[in-house]
């Protein structure tokens, strides 16, 4: 893999998350019945950051959880004979909540489909919305994000790498070319 171009830096990611937080608050008319659930791995950190942005704007805490979709994936057998399952941490009732699912990159839509399947095991939200840092296109399923940080057209030969301080030691997004 060869890095082709770096498209987002730390400051830009921070501004994008603050904008998305404002959009979430506007659409949901505040924080009442609002909660965030990040898809493991990087979606969890983005959800926590969005909760922090909402706290700065409204001075109110928003519930944030973590969702592992490993067992709900439709390509589970293609990934590994023994996939690693991480912990889902949704320590609150999502029933009748306005739930925002947070992920780093929206691509084919299959991750979001798996997340929807997983969430139904936890209750019946009033609404489910999707927030993504990057939408790179190439959808295979009819999935659209409600909140998009940046649309980045890519080719099938490229991938989008989101690097976050919590995991990678740096905040940036790059387009990487498969070699």
């Amino acid at each position: 893999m060869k890095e082709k171009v770096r498209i987002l830096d730390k400051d830009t990611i921070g501004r994008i998350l603050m904008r998305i937080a404002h959009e979430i608050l506007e659409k949901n008319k505040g924080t009442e019945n609002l909660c965030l659930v990040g898809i493991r791995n990087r979606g969890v950190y983005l959800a926590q950051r969005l909760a922090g942005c909402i706290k700065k704007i409204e001075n109110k805490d928003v519930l944030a959880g973590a969702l592992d979709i490993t067992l709900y994936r439709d390509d589970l057998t293609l990934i590994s004979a023994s996939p690693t399952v991480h912990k889902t941490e949704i320590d609150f009732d999502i029933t009748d909540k306005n739930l925002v699912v947070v992920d780093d990159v929206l691509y084919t839509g299959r991750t979001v489909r798996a997340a929807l399947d997983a969430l139904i095991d936890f209750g019946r939200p009033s609404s489910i919305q999707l927030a993504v840092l990057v939408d790179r296109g190439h959808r295979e399923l009819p999935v659209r994000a409600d909140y998009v940080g940046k649309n980045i057209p890519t080719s099938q030969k490229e991938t989008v790498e989101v690097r976050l301080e919590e995991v990678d030691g740096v905040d940036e997004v790059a387009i990487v070319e498969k070699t």
Side-chain angles (χ1 to χ4, degrees):
M1 297 265 215
K2 176 185 163 199
E3 186 170 308
K4 188 174 175 181
V5 64
R6 200 162 302 151
I7 50 176
L8 299 176
D9 61 15
K10 180 179 182 155
D11 291 339
T12 307
I13 291 170
R15 284 190 296 274
I16 285 171
L17 292 175
M18 187 59 79
R19 175 179 50 81
I20 290 174
H22 278 284
E23 290 174 3
I24 289 169
L25 289 167
E26 184 178 343
K27 182 172 183 173
N28 291 283
K29 298 175 177 63
T31 60
E32 189 175 340
N33 290 320
L34 180 66
C35 56
L36 308 171
V37 173
I39 299 174
R40 289 212 183 269
N41 189 21
R42 286 167 182 80
V44 174
Y45 301 112
L46 293 172
Q48 291 167 350
R49 290 183 189 191
L50 280 170
C53 290
I54 290 170
K55 172 85 172 172
K56 283 181 186 174
I57 298 165
E58 293 285 311
N59 200 26
K60 293 182 182 174
D61 290 317
V62 175
L63 296 170
L67 181 66
D68 182 72
I69 61 158
T70 303
L71 297 177
Y72 294 88
R73 295 179 60 104
D74 62 4
D75 61 353
L76 187 60
T77 55
L78 302 175
I79 294 172
S80 170
S82 56
T84 304
V85 178
H86 299 283
K87 187 176 180 184
T88 290
E89 298 173 38
I90 301 177
D91 303 329
F92 48 89
D93 187 8
I94 66 169
T95 302
D96 296 326
K97 297 282 196 268
N98 294 320
L99 181 68
V100 180
V101 175
V102 182
D103 203 7
D104 56 352
V105 178
L106 178 56
Y107 180 36
T108 63
R110 293 185 181 279
T111 297
V112 175
R113 186 215 46 87
L116 294 172
D117 287 349
L119 285 169
I120 298 308
D121 288 346
F122 290 91
R124 189 174 191 275
S126 177
S127 69
I128 300 176
Q129 301 159 39
L130 177 62
V132 297
L133 183 62
V134 174
D135 183 344
R136 64 169 288 195
H138 303 287
R139 220 69 81 239
E140 294 175 4
L141 299 175
V143 173
R144 178 188 59 82
D146 299 277
Y147 314 101
V148 176
K150 186 154 181 75
N151 287 293
I152 302 171
T154 60
S155 78
Q156 296 284 12
K157 295 176 184 176
E158 299 170 324
T159 60
V160 174
E161 284 190 7
V162 173
R163 302 174 189 130
L164 297 178
E165 186 79 37
E166 297 90 337
V167 181
D168 309 295
V170 65
D171 281 349
E172 63 186 17
V173 177
I175 294 178
V176 177
E177 203 163 40
K178 298 174 188 174
T179 53

